[in-house]
Amino acid sequence: MTNTTHKSASQSLIGIKVLIMTLSLAGTLFGWVVLAAGQVRDAVWNQPVPTTNVPSSVTAPRQTPSVQQPQSPALRSVTGNFQPRARTRSSR
Amino acid sequence: MPQIEFRAMGCQMLAIVEADEARAANVLAHVPRWFAEWENVLSRFRADSELNRLNASAGRPVRVSETLWQVLEKSLEAANASNGLVTPAVLDALETAGYDKSFERIGRDSSRPERHSLLAPNPRATNFIELDATTRTVRLPPGMRLDLGGIAKGWSADQAAQRLSQVGPALVDAGGDLAISGALANGARWQIAIADPFEATRDLERLVLRAGGVATSGRDYRRWEQDGKPQHHIIDPRTNRPAITDVLSVTVIAPTTSQAEVAAKVALILGSRAGLAWIEARSELAALLVLEDGTMMPSTRFDQYVWRETFIAEPDAIRSLTFG
């Protein structure tokens, strides 16, 4: 009966020690997580503010699209100015 | 590009040639004289024209000039190719409809008493014209008088363009009938437009063409009233009256201007369905018909002449693609 009582007290002490160690480890991990989150936040906040690129199509006056739009600004119309040399019509 | 404008044959004329200024100016100065000479031979509105002398000599053989012979041959070929729908033997019908003086003198809104032709309609009347090529002699059947109007204009445009082409690529506009001798010096095609028959200052369609003829036949301009009834100048030889048709105007692209002139007239006289079918059956022709209600009916081959906006890469872009 006495042995049983002694054994039980010893086991309780070990349990308390394990609990304290677990709590300590958890606290350390939590601290690391908080620290990492802070670093990430600082990194984000220290980024240069990006320029807002508004597409020219939003700001420019709306135009009726032509049938064939150039696919790239490197393309240019070679016959954009249609200038007829003469007009066919009924005799006049 | 050097060009000259003048009036002849009751129409506004334009001639353009791509050549250096001096050479172009030299040759273009001759063009009004060419047209004046042709008009003196071919016009029915000049009392002393060779055509009128021939008309006055119907029933007797008459030796004619090379110019009149050539245009007469063209007109008879046209009559044959069109089953008589486009024939020079319509002068009596034209005058009966009220077109008895130049269009400027008719006045669009003058009301004229109705007259009736004494001649029976006969699309094959030209079969009775006798030609002798060895002596260049023509004998019209008694009572027949010829009008070479449209075909004379087309032939003149073709002739002038051909003569100008000795100096450089040329375009001749004879009152709306266009003759193009060949591509421009850089290989480009000529840009021309079809005037809107409902609003002549607007372009209905834009075309590009290397060579050939373009002509428009329409009842949108040369029209008048006779005894309160609307008349126009395109006679249907089957009735000897102005053609009754749902087509307002027809533009035809053909190897020559005189061919285009004839084809446009045939399509207009036949009306939209039969007219378009007639055009489609001839691989050398392309056409755009404009109906009275504004509907446009292009032939299947017309599209290849329609101007399209095209694009090329800028030289800088090409360099960056090539050299990285």
Side-chain angles (χ1 to χ4, degrees):
Chain A
M1 185 70 180
T2 307
N3 276 347
T4 303
T5 304
H6 176 74
K7 195 175 180 180
S8 176
S10 175
Q11 285 177 337
S12 296
L13 187 62
I14 292 170
I16 290 166
K17 282 182 178 176
V18 169
L19 180 63
I20 290 169
M21 286 174 67
T22 303
L23 288 173
S24 174
L25 184 62
T28 303
L29 288 173
F30 180 73
W32 287 352
V33 169
V34 170
L35 191 63
Q39 291 287 329
V40 170
R41 184 203 59 187
D42 289 349
V44 170
W45 283 15
N46 290 334
Q47 284 275 331
V49 178
T51 308
T52 305
N53 289 320
V54 180
S56 58
S57 59
V58 174
T59 55
R62 187 172 292 275
Q63 293 179 338
T64 306
S66 65
V67 176
Q68 290 173 296
Q69 291 280 9
Q71 296 302 304
S72 157
L75 297 177
R76 68 181 169 90
S77 167
V78 286
T79 49
N81 291 325
F82 184 89
Q83 293 181 324
R85 294 287 178 184
R87 286 181 169 79
T88 182
R89 60 207 180 285
S90 59
S91 295
R92 58 194 64 184
Chain B
M1 209 178 294
Q3 63 180 58
I4 188 169
E5 290 185 66
F6 56 98
R7 279 197 75 79
M9 300 180 172
C11 294
Q12 188 65 27
M13 305 288 180
L14 165 71
I16 308 172
V17 64
E18 187 186 28
D20 67 74
E21 287 287 339
R23 291 188 75 198
N26 187 43
V27 71
L28 286 172
H30 294 290
V31 181
R33 182 174 52 77
W34 299 342
F35 274 86
E37 288 173 2
W38 294 327
E39 189 172 4
N40 282 336
V41 173
L42 305 169
S43 173
R44 70 175 167 106
F45 299 117
R46 298 204 168 188
D48 59 347
S49 73
E50 190 181 356
L51 175 64
N52 276 337
R53 289 201 299 275
L54 176 65
N55 282 339
S57 306
R60 301 195 305 271
V62 176
R63 185 177 157 76
V64 300
S65 67
E66 180 65 27
T67 295
L68 183 53
W69 179 265
Q70 281 189 28
V71 178
L72 192 53
E73 274 194 323
K74 284 278 178 205
S75 70
L76 298 181
E77 285 170 16
N80 193 42
S82 65
N83 286 326
L85 286 179
V86 177
T87 168
V90 290
L91 182 51
D92 183 69
L94 274 169
E95 291 182 347
T96 301
Y99 198 1
D100 52 2
K101 51 176 68 72
S102 66
F103 186 70
E104 291 84 349
R105 293 174 59 202
I106 290 179
R108 284 194 194 194
D109 54 0
S110 64
S111 189
R112 308 160 68 79
E114 188 170 9
R115 291 158 54 185
H116 296 281
S117 174
L118 298 175
L119 295 180
N122 182 5
R124 291 290 179 190
T126 50
N127 287 349
F128 300 102
I129 298 175
E130 295 172 16
L131 301 174
D132 185 344
T134 55
T135 57
R136 221 164 56 211
T137 301
V138 181
R139 180 183 176 278
L140 302 182
M144 178 182 284
R145 293 183 306 136
L146 306 180
D147 170 54
L148 299 171
I151 203 149
K153 214 169 291 165
W155 176 88
S156 300
D158 287 330
Q159 287 290 311
Q162 190 184 356
R163 290 184 183 185
L164 289 172
S165 69
Q166 306 298 317
V167 175
L171 180 151
V172 174
D173 173 358
D177 290 354
L178 313 181
I180 296 173
S181 72
L184 293 162
N186 63 0
R189 294 172 290 180
W190 293 80
Q191 297 182 347
I192 60 173
I194 300 176
D196 186 340
F198 293 100
E199 175 57 66
T201 55
R202 284 194 326 211
D203 291 344
L204 190 68
E205 191 57 273
R206 297 163 166 188
L207 307 178
V208 283
L209 200 65
R210 279 201 174 79
V214 184
T216 298
S217 195
R219 50 193 180 88
D220 53 311
Y221 181 71
R222 287 181 189 250
R223 52 193 162 86
W224 60 92
E225 284 194 356
Q226 186 186 54
D227 204 25
K229 296 177 186 170
Q231 306 284 344
H232 61 85
H233 72 299
I234 298 169
I235 298 294
D236 185 342
R238 299 169 298 187
T239 61
N240 262 2
R241 304 288 301 163
I244 297 171
T245 171
D246 60 337
V247 180
L248 181 64
S249 77
V250 183
T251 297
V252 172
I253 303 162
T256 68
T257 312
S258 43
Q259 283 176 290
E261 234 280 331
V262 171
K265 211 165 271 182
V266 170
L268 191 136
I269 292 170
L270 286 176
S272 57
R273 286 186 62 180
L276 193 60
W278 193 90
I279 295 284
E280 297 285 23
R282 286 153 180 83
S283 61
E284 73 278 18
L285 304 178
L288 177 67
L289 284 67
V290 181
L291 309 193
E292 185 77 54
D293 63 3
T295 305
M296 297 204 294
M297 293 175 64
S299 71
T300 51
R301 283 176 287 275
F302 182 76
D303 192 57
Q304 64 188 277
Y305 298 100
V306 174
W307 174 76
R308 301 262 185 261
E309 196 166 8
T310 55
F311 300 92
I312 64 166
E314 292 281 13
D316 287 347
I318 295 171
R319 272 195 293 276
S320 68
L321 284 172
T322 309
F323 304 111

